[in-house]
Amino acid sequence: MMPGGASTPLAQLLASFGREVIETDPAMLDSVAVDHHLRHRGKPLALALPRDTAEVSRLLALCNTLRIGVVPQGGNTGYCAAATPDASGTQLVLSLRRMNAIRRVDRDDGAMIVEAGCILAEVQKAASEVGRFFPLSLGAEGSCQIGGNLSTNAGGLNVLRYGMTRDLVLGLEVVLADGRVWSNLSPLRKDNTGYDLRHLFLGAEGTLGVITAASLKLFPAQRGSATALVAVPTPAAAVQLLARLRERLGDLVNSFELIPQVAMQLLAKHLPSARQPLAATAPWYVLCEATSADASDPLADKLGAEIEAAIEAGLVDDAVLAQNERERLELWQLRENVPEAQRREGASLKHDVSLPIGRLAEFIDIASRWLGEHVPEAVLVCYGHVGDGNLHFNLSAQPGDTSLASRGAEIRRVIHDLVAERGGSFSAEHGIGQTKVDELARYAPAVELEIMHGIKHLLDPNGIMNPGKVLRAGRTP
Ligand code: FAD
Ligand code: MLT
Ligand code: ZN
């Protein structure tokens, strides 16, 4: 039978939906065939661009009948190649980029209903236009979609105070693998009517269904802020500073991010417009921020006083407080551009780990020493959301060195074992995708894997939803 002939899956998709919805242009397919890091290249059968939930429903029903694998793709900014099709040429990439309406923003309910194809920055903007705050914030917010954020249960820069994406969700609309629609876009904060199905789809990376819309929690607009870049001698000092700030400022502290000196050097090398505000260098820095809904709250005084006290206690060497919004944004630019600076440096090996906060410093110490002894050619770029116990324990290859990739599996095993021994997680916020399927199979308890496979089988018995992602194919672990 000829490819594209009358009875092929592609022909049936085209016959049912037409070229308005099923895109086959090679340049378009190429643009969705590769992951963010350009490490995994697939071959899409076609790209589906549905216009509404009913169309997503009809599409999945047909794909289920024809056993066509469906790979949802949002902004394609994810780190685990979770939105990339395989190389078989049989998987349909599904993008909700046309479904990007803000359906409703309710200031009084403190809720908004958005379609999954909305860019995260647009969601934040719609909330702020009615004097409300949607706290999810990450470096990719100008291009990632809320559907992708929900499906990866993204973390980001404000988790310390507001939680992960799943903590910001009141309800969902989901199309199941067989085309059925489950819709519960409720603004209710309390609803104990049986199992809470939301949480199955949040963080499922498109393996259980397609999220088409969500009801999101809004918060009071934050009208006052104080932001500081603080030089600290060690990660242990950073952790102690965090404890002091939390003790004294409570929930006013919304971000606490660790940046190492080497990241500052990469920023200066690759993004020289990013201004480095502290004159002297330090081994480590913390970017911390406190915000308040009350514009008259003297946050700068409060944060400044705590930092002064921390200097006296020997926890902080130096600090700068942003004096205005421009300076605040400049500080955030430093933190948000660390991944980009590391990308420009060349090959890297990333570990997105979390640990109990009390064991972070010990982990950094032990893992750095192991690297120094066994992988001296690599440069450690360890940064991240220390306030959440989440480190991006990344390695960069020295310019011209190609050995890092070949030792990746061995290094990853040691780092992840060190994390597991301390009760941590090998995937704090970036998910599993296709790059960490073996890690999940190794580190998750058998009973957990059995439950996950059972849920997958219940919701997607034909295995059409994002095949090969999160779980190994087949029913048993
Ligand atoms: P994609 O990458 O397109 O897809 C991710 C997964 O979601 C895939 O499995 C896909 O199949 C699935 N999916 C997408 N849309 C849907 C849908 N509608 N229904 C069902 N499944 C769907 N992540 C963090 O957690 N914290 C950070 O601080 C952070 N910072 C980043 C900074 C930069 C500069 C970059 C490039 C990335 C960063 N990320 C971060 C990773 C990434 O941005 C997040 O994982 C983000 O949530 C992915 O959204 P996306 O729309 O790009 O999803
Ligand atoms: C971040 O926190 O900047 C990202 O999650 C990690 C990264 O982009 O490498
Ligand atoms: Zn992160």
Side-chain angles (χ1 to χ4, degrees):
M1 225 166 292
M2 295 288 292
S7 58
T8 64
L10 180 57
Q12 295 194 54
L13 283 166
L14 284 167
S16 299
F17 294 95
R19 293 195 178 273
E20 253 299 285
V21 173
I22 302 297
E23 181 61 69
T24 56
D25 172 59
M28 285 284 269
L29 297 196
D30 201 51
S31 71
V32 297
V34 66
D35 74 307
H36 178 78
H37 285 298
L38 310 180
R39 287 188 189 144
H40 295 261
R41 178 168 283 281
K43 186 168 179 275
L45 172 70
L47 168 65
L49 296 165
R51 292 160 291 202
D52 56 28
T53 304
E55 215 156 47
V56 177
S57 161
R58 286 205 299 121
L59 254 171
L60 289 200
L62 182 62
C63 288
N64 196 39
T65 305
L66 300 176
R67 309 288 193 264
I68 298 173
V70 178
V71 182
Q73 188 174 96
N76 200 16
T77 67
Y79 279 146
C80 303
T84 309
D86 70 11
S88 65
T90 62
Q91 296 184 341
L92 180 70
V93 174
L94 172 70
S95 167
L96 300 194
R97 66 181 75 151
R98 283 175 171 168
M99 293 176 57
N100 61 357
I102 307 279
R103 289 192 193 160
R104 201 163 90 96
V105 188
D106 194 320
R107 197 185 142 90
D108 297 330
D109 273 348
M112 70 195 293
I113 296 178
V114 302
E115 291 185 347
C118 287
I119 300 291
L120 173 57
E122 296 296 322
V123 174
Q124 296 165 341
K125 186 162 160 268
S128 99
E129 278 167 2
V130 300
R132 291 289 178 262
F133 179 52
F134 182 65
L136 180 63
S137 171
L138 45 137
E141 63 199 23
S143 47
C144 60
Q145 295 177 6
I146 192 72
N149 305 142
L150 296 160
S151 302
T152 54
N153 183 30
L157 304 165
N158 291 325
V159 173
L160 185 58
R161 174 140 150 212
Y162 296 98
M164 302 278 281
T165 300
R166 73 167 72 249
D167 300 306
L168 307 173
V169 179
L170 296 166
L172 288 181
E173 178 185 271
V174 178
V175 179
L176 303 180
D178 60 7
R180 279 178 298 162
V181 179
W182 170 62
S183 182
N184 183 353
L185 291 171
S186 160
L188 295 179
R189 312 231 155 198
K190 299 186 84 169
D191 179 11
N192 274 348
T193 48
Y195 303 140
D196 193 338
L197 301 182
R198 272 176 304 183
H199 293 295
L200 284 180
F201 300 98
L202 298 167
E205 301 181 55
T207 60
L208 299 180
V210 176
I211 298 175
T212 46
S215 171
L216 304 173
K217 235 185 243 183
L218 298 180
F219 294 81
Q222 297 301 294
R223 298 200 166 80
S225 68
T227 310
L229 186 70
V230 178
V232 290
T234 57
V239 169
Q240 284 183 54
L241 176 65
L242 170 67
R244 287 170 78 116
L245 292 182
R246 298 272 285 164
E247 174 109 11
R248 309 296 286 272
L249 301 183
D251 264 353
L252 294 175
V253 187
N254 59 297
S255 301
F256 194 90
E257 299 282 321
L258 186 70
I259 307 173
Q261 172 57 28
V262 65
M264 292 295 196
Q265 287 162 357
L266 293 179
L267 285 161
K269 178 172 169 190
H270 297 292
L271 299 149
S273 63
R275 198 174 66 83
Q276 311 222 5
L278 287 172
T281 58
W284 299 91
Y285 303 86
V286 166
L287 176 58
C288 57
E289 183 168 87
T291 58
S292 170
D294 177 1
S296 66
D297 199 335
L299 287 176
D301 294 346
K302 287 181 186 169
L303 186 60
E306 290 312 319
I307 291 172
E308 280 295 329
I311 290 175
E312 274 166 35
L315 294 176
V316 167
D317 294 327
D318 195 4
V320 60
L321 260 170
Q323 298 301 314
N324 50 46
E325 183 60 12
R326 182 181 54 77
E327 289 186 10
R328 173 177 173 265
L329 293 178
E330 280 178 2
L331 292 184
W332 274 111
Q333 283 275 308
L334 289 172
R335 165 61 185 90
E336 290 187 18
N337 277 317
V338 173
E340 179 58 19
Q342 196 186 10
R343 193 184 67 79
R344 292 191 192 186
E345 180 68 0
S348 67
L349 195 59
K350 296 189 168 223
H351 306 95
D352 166 37
V353 303
S354 65
L355 290 119
I357 292 175
R359 302 199 73 175
L360 273 179
E362 171 210 340
F363 166 78
I364 294 175
D365 194 37
I366 288 176
S368 318
R369 269 196 275 130
W370 183 85
L371 287 171
E373 280 167 31
H374 296 90
V375 202
E377 67 278 15
V379 178
L380 174 62
V381 188
C382 166
Y383 64 97
H385 320 286
V386 159
D388 317 323
N390 177 189
L391 295 173
H392 298 303
F393 197 80
N394 297 346
L395 306 184
S396 271
Q398 306 267 14
D401 178 15
T402 53
S403 65
L404 196 57
S406 61
R407 298 191 56 196
E410 167 207 347
I411 298 168
R412 174 190 259 194
R413 173 69 56 246
V414 172
I415 300 299
H416 287 172
D417 279 355
L418 288 173
V419 168
E421 283 158 19
R422 286 163 181 77
S425 163
F426 69 85
S427 177
E429 59 171 9
H430 294 160
I432 304 297
Q434 51 180 304
T435 60
K436 297 185 193 160
V437 172
D438 290 343
E439 301 299 281
L440 184 66
R442 176 182 166 92
Y443 291 105
V447 69
E448 218 167 280
L449 286 169
E450 278 164 26
I451 294 171
M452 288 190 206
H453 278 274
I455 291 170
K456 172 74 178 169
H457 186 71
L458 173 75
L459 291 175
D460 181 19
N462 298 320
I464 65 155
M465 288 309 311
N466 216 357
K469 313 293 167 38
V470 182
L471 296 174
R472 283 180 181 155
R475 225 194 127 186
T476 45

